[in-house]
């Protein structure tokens, strides 16, 4: 894949929105395989210069691989942090893992392995090669690690941070977002947890409740600004 074939539309990008959009894109597959998904985000806003759509593609591609090679009911963790002038997006899982002889080749074209990846699933294809090229075009780097077959894998994307841009107050949408406390109420726990995760990732303070009694208790304690409420709850409308 030649760099000349890829056009980046670069602008300041806040990475929580990238991660949220990428996670949303793979939610149906995660839900189907009943994966437990954890989000770790201890940093404030992390800004990079890049192409939002391409960065979503990179993170989504890595998430897709984790979903593909993690058994039903498995665990996937997404971390977003900033340190030493760089932002790191890390995706780790407890899936099939990567054989030692494959780790150094994992970003090559059409990589397949009889040892740690099921050939019936088609190998890793060209996806990770595209991720590596796109990340490098953003001035960053991507790496993979694993303790071996059956012990899961971890992928990290590191991108250089930039200063938070100063938006023109006259521009539409330039006013800073007001952080809100949001209570998400839904007896479909997967739906509630997914929406709560995305809201937290985009800077709000969100919590979940799964039945009417719990929702009333959490509302009294949490004092939310907004409640996103399923109208079809059992036992109480």
């Amino acid at each position: 894949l030649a760099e000349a074939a890829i056009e980046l539309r670069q602008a300041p990008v806040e990475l929580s929105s990238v991660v949220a959009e990428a996670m949303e894109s793979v939610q149906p597959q995660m839900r189907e395989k009943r994966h437990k998904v954890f989000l770790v985000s201890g940093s404030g806003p992390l800004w990079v210069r890049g192409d939002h759509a391409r960065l979503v593609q990179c993170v989504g591609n890595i998430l897709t691989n984790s979903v593909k090679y993690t058994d039903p009911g498995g665990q996937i963790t997404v971390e977003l942090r900033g340190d030493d002038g760089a932002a790191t997006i890390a995706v780790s899982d407890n899936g099939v893992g990567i054989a030692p002889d494959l780790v150094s080749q994992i970003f090559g074209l059409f990589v397949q392995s009889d040892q740690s990846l099921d050939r019936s699933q088609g190998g890793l294809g060209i996806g990770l090669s595209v991720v590596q090229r796109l990340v490098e075009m953003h001035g960053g780097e991507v790496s993979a690690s694993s303790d071996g077959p059956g012990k899961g894998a971890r992928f990290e994307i590191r991108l250089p941070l930039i200063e938070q841009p100063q938006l023109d107050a006259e521009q539409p949408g330039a006013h800073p977002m007001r952080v809100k406390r949001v209570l998400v109420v839904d007896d479909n726990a997967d739906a509630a947890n997914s929406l709560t995760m995305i809201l937290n990732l985009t800077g709000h303070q969100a919590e979940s409740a799964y039945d009417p009694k719990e929702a009333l208790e959490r509302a009294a304690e949490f004092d939310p600004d907004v409640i996103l409420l399923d109208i079809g709850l059992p036992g109480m409308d």
Side-chain angles (χ1 to χ4, degrees):
L1 181 63
E3 287 190 19
I6 302 176
E7 178 184 354
L8 296 182
R9 299 179 179 178
Q10 300 206 43
V13 175
E14 208 289 297
L15 286 180
S16 65
S17 64
V18 170
V19 174
E21 193 170 327
M23 291 182 69
E24 186 175 16
S25 72
V26 297
Q27 279 300 318
Q29 299 97 303
M30 289 178 172
R31 192 175 302 119
E32 182 179 352
K33 296 185 74 173
R34 306 184 309 282
H35 286 149
K36 300 178 180 66
V37 184
F38 298 92
L39 173 67
V40 180
S41 178
S43 305
L46 298 173
W47 290 84
V48 301
R49 183 165 182 79
D51 185 318
H52 179 93
R54 294 297 192 179
L55 291 174
V56 170
Q57 181 183 16
C58 290
V59 178
N61 208 315
I62 289 175
L63 281 168
T64 297
N65 274 314
S66 283
V67 171
K68 188 175 182 180
Y69 296 109
T70 300
D71 291 336
Q75 178 176 312
I76 297 173
T77 300
V78 181
E79 302 171 60
L80 179 59
R81 66 178 188 273
D83 56 76
D84 297 329
T88 299
I89 302 169
V91 177
S92 56
D93 61 60
N94 63 351
V96 300
I98 307 171
D101 63 333
L102 183 62
V103 172
S104 63
Q105 311 169 44
I106 200 72
F107 295 101
L109 291 171
F110 299 105
V111 171
Q112 291 186 342
S113 169
D114 291 320
Q115 294 177 305
S116 66
L117 300 179
D118 182 355
R119 276 187 176 274
S120 68
Q121 298 193 56
L124 293 179
I126 64 171
L128 292 177
S129 177
V130 174
V131 169
Q132 183 181 50
R133 180 59 58 85
L134 286 171
V135 170
E136 289 176 349
M137 290 176 66
H138 283 82
E141 59 184 13
V142 60
S143 62
S145 61
S146 174
D147 290 332
K151 297 183 178 180
R154 179 182 177 89
F155 288 83
E156 290 193 1
I157 295 174
R158 285 180 62 84
L159 297 165
L161 287 168
I162 64 171
E163 294 292 326
Q164 180 169 341
Q166 298 297 316
L167 297 176
D168 184 348
E170 298 301 318
Q171 292 179 351
H175 300 289
M177 177 188 74
R178 180 189 161 206
V179 174
K180 294 184 180 294
R181 292 186 305 281
V182 184
L183 179 62
V184 179
V185 183
D186 198 323
D187 59 324
N188 182 329
D190 285 339
N193 292 340
S194 298
L195 182 53
T196 298
M197 184 181 301
I198 290 171
L199 286 165
N200 283 323
L201 193 59
T202 52
H204 296 290
Q205 299 171 11
E207 295 188 5
S208 302
Y210 312 115
D211 62 66
K213 182 175 182 295
E214 182 186 10
L216 291 172
E217 292 172 351
R218 291 303 307 130
E221 296 171 5
F222 185 46
D223 190 24
D225 300 303
V226 176
I227 299 177
L228 300 178
L229 179 67
D230 177 15
I231 62 173
L233 292 170
M236 184 188 302
D237 64 18

